[in-house]
Structure formats: C-alpha cells, structure tokens
Amino acid sequence: MTDYNSLAELLSPVSIDSFVTQHFSTRPLYVKGHPDRFAGLFDRADFDRIASTGRVRVRCLFRDDQERIIRETGERPTITLAPDDIPSARSAGATVFITGLQREHGPVAKVTAMLKQSLGFTGTVRATAWNSAARAGIAPHFDAGASFIFQVEGRKVWRLSKRPALPFPRTCGLQMSDGEVVFEAPAGASAAIEPWEEHPEPFDEKDAIEVVLEPGDLLYVPFGTWHSTRADDDGPSLSVNVHLEPIDVGELLFGALRAKLRERPSWRGTFAAECGADMPPTVLQWFRARLAELPAELEALSKSTEMLERAWKMRVAEFEGRSPRPTGDVNAVRRVRLSSERPVTAAIETDGGTARSVTFWCGSDEIVFDEAELLDAASRLARRESVDAEELTREAVAVLLERGLVEVA
C-alpha cells in the first residue's frame, strides 16, 4: 500500500498546517519512513529504462571537480550523457541525473501533480531522479526552488543549513572552499545578481543539520537553503526529487491586472514620439496618465474574488506532465474522476446557493460547463468525486479524456 499520494500521508506525523507555517519557506523537514514506503514509486530499473529512451536529458557531475569548473567557466559543472555513457560515468564516481521525470513515469507524475495541487503552488513543479555512485554527491549550494526528496534506494548523507541563506533567491548560489559565493545568472536576467542578493548568509558546516536518508525517508529543503550531499560508502543512492520553482507575486497578479487593463483602449495602444536625448513632455504625460489609472484598477482587483481565484487556479493547473493516454472506446467508460497525473483546478460559480457554471483548468485548457442539466455532475466532479459518464454526456467525457482532465475511475 502506498502512502505517498496524499500530502497528509506523506508528511505524517507532521500536519499540513504545521508544514506550511513552520517549514515551507523557513526550515527543513525530515520524515523517517519504513523501507517499503516508496515501493512502486521509482527504482533503478525505471531509471535505466527511461534514460535509454533518448527522450529525456541525462547529465552527470563529479563532486570533486565542481569548484574548479565553476571558477573556470562560471557555470554549473554538468556533463550531458548519451545513454551508452551512463555505465562509465557511474563507474567513475559520478552522480547521474534525469530531468523532466514527471513527463515519463506515471507514479512520479502523480506525486508531482499531487504536490502542486495540494500546496496550491503557482510556480513550476518538476521531478528529477538522482543516482549517485558510492561517496558521490554535490558540493554546498542553495537553489532558487524548494525540493521534496524521496529516498528510494541506498543511503545518502545530507548536510543542511537551519534556515535559508537568502529568502526566495532568484537563482542558485554555490559556496567555494574559501567562503565565496558564486551565483548562476538568473534565467532571462541581464545581470547575474541584484544588490539585495549580494550577501547571502554563508554555509556554516559546524552549525549544519546532518540527515542520513535511507529508503522510505522524506526530506524537504526550503527555497534558498544551503545543502550538500554525499552517497554512503557502501553503495549507490537513488532518489526522486520534486522541485518547486516559484514565480514572484508580481508575475501572478500582473497577469490578472493586465487582463483587466486590456479592456481600456489606452492600455491596448501605444504612442509615437521622436526618441532623442531629452524626455518629450507628451511621453511623460502619457506614462503618468496610465499610472494614474492604476489605483482604481488595483482596488477593483482586490475586491474581485472571481478574478483573483481565476489567476491563482490557472497557475496551479499549469503543468509539464505526460500526454493524455488513449482510453479506447469512450462508450465503454462507465465512470470518470479528475486526473491523478495532472493538477486540475475548478471553480463553481453560484447564485443564491445554486450552481450557475463550473470551470475547470488543466494545463492551458479552460473548460466551462453552464448547461443546467450538467451542473450537478460537473459540481461533484469539481469536488473530486467520481461521476457516471452518462451524467456528463459521452461527448463531454470524450473531450475531457482527450484533454487529460479526467481519467477512468
């Protein structure tokens, strides 16, 4: 029996509320498990099979070479591997890893989708498999994202800071042996770091938390938390790491605000003016006029539960998952439920306690049910109940299956 497909079971005995308030953004969490806890999630045979397909990116790194390569190139010292190169990399003491695992493996996709939906996480969530040879690992660093680590085989020693080096950093920071922190350039950024990022709290090995992960153990590493790893001396380690990569609040809210502002012609248009050494008064006036319109729109947005709910749930539903699998004859499907391999969010619009419409989001899809005869079944589906296919109509079920919003119950 698996106990990793619900957040409450995964974190037990820690409650979800305690995790959110005491660990999510501030403090690591270690949950001791039993050896078979993650049975069926992922194993070495799955790693080798997926790595051999050629559909995924397989890379490796060597712990002892990391500082030298970072200083020489300014980049993370990873090497892209062809499938045939994996055995020799393992023999040489490398850590080999596969990214985008949630697109390739059903059980991992379910766990990844569950974490995104259960946490209402608006950023990107991806899964990576890490296979470290004996004594292999990663030098001290922090990541922009947070990670859930599922230890599935072998043992690995983790050393972690007790708190983040930097609250919600934009990029990865790597600590050199002399204490210098070298940053990776943030994706899409013109400058490597900004002033507020220049002085992260250094990693103090003497004050670090040490955790030895064994099969069935779970570790949560918050955003920006220092950590280093090393596999046990006795053999290789295999883990599945689910990474949570945040978007900032501005990106989340500005999307909702932008949709509202597009209703105004002045926000859909632009202006024309000669661009010389001085700022033309007409351009300055145009900018100030647009800024003067913002307070009223921000006030309206703050009062619009519908717009804020839509902005949040659309982001939660975005997911880089597996393509929906063919289900065969839709007429043979008796009951359906919301997909377990993709986050599916929903909103029920009511009037006087009666449902008027039900909206579902999954990936980039938005599907609305507003036909009176379908609202009861759609509402129960939105509440994560299974429903009879006839109640939704075969035509609607065919669309939902094709888009990956539902699966056969």
Side-chain angles (χ1 to χ4, degrees):
M1 177 180 176
T2 61
D3 62 353
Y4 50 79
N5 283 324
S6 82
L7 187 58
E9 292 175 340
L10 184 64
L11 297 175
S12 179
V14 177
S15 69
I16 295 176
D17 285 344
S18 294
F19 170 75
V20 170
T21 58
Q22 300 176 27
H23 296 278
F24 180 66
S25 60
T26 57
R27 191 154 54 103
L29 174 66
Y30 167 60
V31 179
K32 182 65 182 174
H34 55 83
D36 296 328
R37 186 183 188 198
F38 299 143
L41 175 62
F42 193 75
D43 58 25
R44 171 69 176 268
D46 293 323
F47 188 106
D48 291 341
R49 175 180 56 80
I50 293 172
S52 68
T53 63
R55 295 192 303 267
V56 295
R57 188 179 183 187
V58 183
R59 289 174 287 171
C60 77
L61 53 81
F62 294 87
R63 178 180 173 121
D64 293 341
D65 285 343
Q66 290 177 56
E67 180 166 338
R68 176 183 59 80
I69 296 174
I70 291 167
R71 289 195 181 279
E72 290 177 358
T73 67
E75 298 178 355
R76 255 197 224 200
T78 59
I79 302 168
T80 300
L81 297 175
D84 292 343
D85 296 330
I86 294 174
S88 59
R90 284 172 171 155
S91 298
T95 292
V96 182
F97 59 102
I98 299 172
T99 54
L101 195 63
Q102 79 285 349
R103 295 192 298 266
E104 299 291 330
H105 191 63
V108 172
K110 289 181 179 181
V111 168
T112 308
M114 178 274 292
L115 288 171
K116 194 174 199 299
Q117 180 130 13
S118 297
L119 293 169
F121 190 71
T122 54
T124 301
V125 181
R126 298 186 177 95
T128 302
W130 292 85
N131 182 204
S132 296
R135 297 178 296 281
I138 302 178
H141 70 287
F142 62 76
D143 296 308
S147 292
F148 287 88
I149 294 91
F150 299 75
Q151 188 71 21
V152 293
E153 293 181 12
R155 289 159 45 98
K156 180 171 276 190
V157 179
W158 283 72
R159 293 184 63 79
L160 308 103
S161 59
K162 295 178 180 178
R163 54 193 168 272
L166 197 64
F168 297 102
R170 295 183 304 149
T171 188
C172 169
L174 305 102
Q175 183 160 297
M176 306 292 100
S177 57
D178 61 2
E180 179 188 2
V181 177
V182 177
F183 288 86
E184 282 193 327
S190 58
I193 57 172
E194 295 180 0
W196 60 268
E197 298 173 290
E198 290 178 353
H199 302 290
E201 185 175 329
F203 186 35
D204 183 357
E205 289 275 2
K206 296 178 182 178
D207 194 40
I209 303 168
E210 183 169 295
V211 175
V212 180
L213 291 187
E214 299 178 312
D217 292 350
L218 175 78
L219 179 65
Y220 173 74
V221 182
F223 311 85
T225 299
W226 287 112
H227 57 281
S228 64
T229 67
R230 186 180 291 275
D232 190 78
D233 292 348
D234 295 333
S237 162
L238 179 64
S239 67
V240 172
N241 296 14
V242 178
H243 307 285
L244 284 63
E245 303 166 11
I247 60 171
D248 61 42
V249 178
E251 186 174 348
L252 176 62
L253 291 181
F254 291 165
L257 183 61
R258 188 180 298 113
K260 184 64 176 172
L261 290 171
R262 275 199 297 267
E263 298 175 5
R264 294 172 176 256
S266 58
W267 280 83
R268 297 196 305 269
T270 184
F271 57 84
E274 183 179 357
C275 187
D278 299 319
M279 181 67 154
T282 55
V283 174
L284 187 60
Q285 182 181 5
W286 188 92
F287 277 122
R288 287 174 173 166
R290 302 292 78 72
L291 291 171
E293 295 167 355
L294 284 177
E297 294 295 347
L298 288 170
E299 179 69 15
L301 180 61
S302 71
K303 295 178 179 178
S304 174
T305 300
E306 180 181 347
M307 290 184 65
L308 294 173
E309 181 180 22
R310 176 185 172 84
W312 173 44
K313 291 184 175 180
M314 285 181 66
R315 286 286 190 171
V316 173
E318 292 179 354
F319 188 63
E320 299 175 8
R322 300 209 300 172
S323 299
R325 290 171 292 174
T327 55
D329 183 7
V330 71
N331 293 315
V333 176
R334 298 183 62 184
R335 298 187 69 81
V336 295
R337 62 191 174 206
L338 293 182
S339 173
S340 60
E341 291 192 4
R342 304 159 70 86
V344 182
T345 57
I348 303 174
E349 182 184 355
T350 61
D351 183 7
T354 302
R356 294 180 53 194
S357 67
V358 182
T359 303
F360 294 92
W361 294 277
C362 181
S364 60
D365 288 320
E366 177 178 320
I367 295 180
V368 180
F369 286 87
D370 54 12
E371 300 91 339
E373 66 274 16
L374 302 181
L375 288 176
D376 180 64
S379 296
R380 285 186 280 115
L381 187 66
R383 296 187 179 99
R384 311 201 78 78
E385 300 176 22
S386 67
V387 300
D388 191 294
E390 294 291 349
E391 293 183 86
L392 286 171
T393 75
R394 293 291 173 182
E395 294 78 11
V397 168
V399 172
L400 295 175
L401 286 168
E402 181 184 5
R403 303 284 180 86
L405 274 79
V406 300
E407 61 192 18
V408 177

